[in-house]
Amino acid sequence: MADALARMKLPWPADGQTSVEVEGIGGLGSRGGRTPVPIASVTKVMTAYVILADHPLEAGEDGPDVTVDATAAAEALSFSESTAPVIEGQRLNQRELLELLLLPSGNNIARLLARWDAGTEQRFVAKMNRAAASLGMTRTTYTGASGIEADTRSTADDQLRLARAAMKSPALRTVVALRETTVPGVPGSVTNTNRLLDKPGVIGLKTGSSTPAGGNLMWAAQVEVGKVRHLVLGVVLGQHAGSPSAGLQAAVDSSGRLIDAVQQELPAALAGRAGRPVRS
């Protein structure tokens, strides 16, 4: 099985780091080395993972209400980072905050959730690093809850470990699959920055872009082989294309090509197994 997966011809990005796997079957390969690089807002997957570990939600649950503090409200007015428009005293439930964290990539929401959970962002970041260690993410260092810090660094292989763990949460899976939503008290629709969701089969996960990081994308897609639907996970980091927005588009485009190739080649790689998931 491992040999068949290794023979799959995938259009690996020429630059940056990339890692792809089929859940329950095995890795499809990794490119670009294992030197930690900035990951920008992909960081927020770990933020959500820790929040849900401390405050579990089932798929249909909203969780407790959280009061927006003065700091999060003031940060909402920033022009230098991605934020969500919230006001002091506003009460939003945990699910709504996760949507504001993961769809529009609200940095102020990441820090608000960190303070709600741990009292201070610093203490929350310590939890993030402990969670990373427990997942075997040996080349990852988190220095903030939002990802704006250039010294929050990881590798595609490590982030793939996180993707595997994060997608086991029904609540997180539901949120990252949303193309848009509405949140009471937040004007208009809240749109997901992950444009790859427009592609059939894609069900998540999270974008990240900045000048130090370039364009990054952690993604999840379902690929049907016979009557079995397989979860394919991928991470593309370090797509530098002149600007953060251009880098993010490059990460989306590269990921889309990888998904196309997996959809085309995975059935042949699994031939003889009747599409049944196996352990590698």
Side-chain angles (χ1 to χ4, degrees), residues 121-226:
E121 185 179 4
Q122 183 179 17
R123 287 200 289 267
F124 186 81
V125 170
K127 289 187 175 186
M128 295 172 72
N129 284 308
R130 287 196 295 270
S134 72
L135 292 173
M137 299 167 64
T138 59
R139 295 174 181 264
T140 296
T141 302
Y142 292 103
T143 60
S146 70
I148 195 172
E149 303 83 4
D151 53 355
T152 285
R153 292 173 175 255
S154 187
T155 66
D157 288 349
D158 271 9
Q159 290 301 304
L160 195 62
R161 290 176 180 268
L162 174 58
R164 190 186 310 142
M167 288 299 283
K168 296 184 186 303
S169 165
L172 190 143
R173 284 179 73 129
T174 298
V175 171
V176 297
L178 292 171
R179 288 170 174 79
E180 64 178 17
T181 190
T182 57
V183 175
V186 175
S189 295
V190 177
T191 303
N192 201 322
T193 59
N194 183 8
R195 296 185 294 273
L196 195 65
L197 286 168
D198 293 333
K199 189 175 186 62
V202 176
I203 58 172
L205 259 160
K206 184 71 188 75
T207 62
S209 61
S210 67
T211 299
N216 299 331
L217 183 63
M218 176 191 289
W219 53 263
Q222 293 176 330
V223 177
E224 292 189 5
V225 179

Side-chain angles (χ1 to χ4, degrees), residues 33-72:
R34 300 182 66 197
T35 298
V37 295
I39 60 172
S41 285
V42 171
T43 297
K44 294 182 176 76
V45 178
M46 180 58 87
T47 302
Y49 179 78
V50 172
I51 289 292
L52 286 166
D54 288 349
H55 311 275
L57 289 180
E58 295 299 325
E61 292 181 339
D62 292 329
D65 285 348
V66 178
T67 301
V68 175
D69 60 19
T71 300

Side-chain angles (χ1 to χ4, degrees), residues 44 47 69 71-72 75-76 78 80-83 101 106-121 124 144-149:
K44 294 182 176 76
T47 302
D69 60 19
T71 300
E75 290 172 350
S78 172
S80 62
E81 58 179 327
S82 60
T83 63
L101 172 76
N107 287 355
N108 58 331
I109 304 302
R111 295 186 285 263
L112 172 62
L113 283 167
R115 292 190 296 273
W116 171 65
D117 177 85
T120 69
E121 185 179 4
F124 186 81
S146 70
I148 195 172
E149 303 83 4

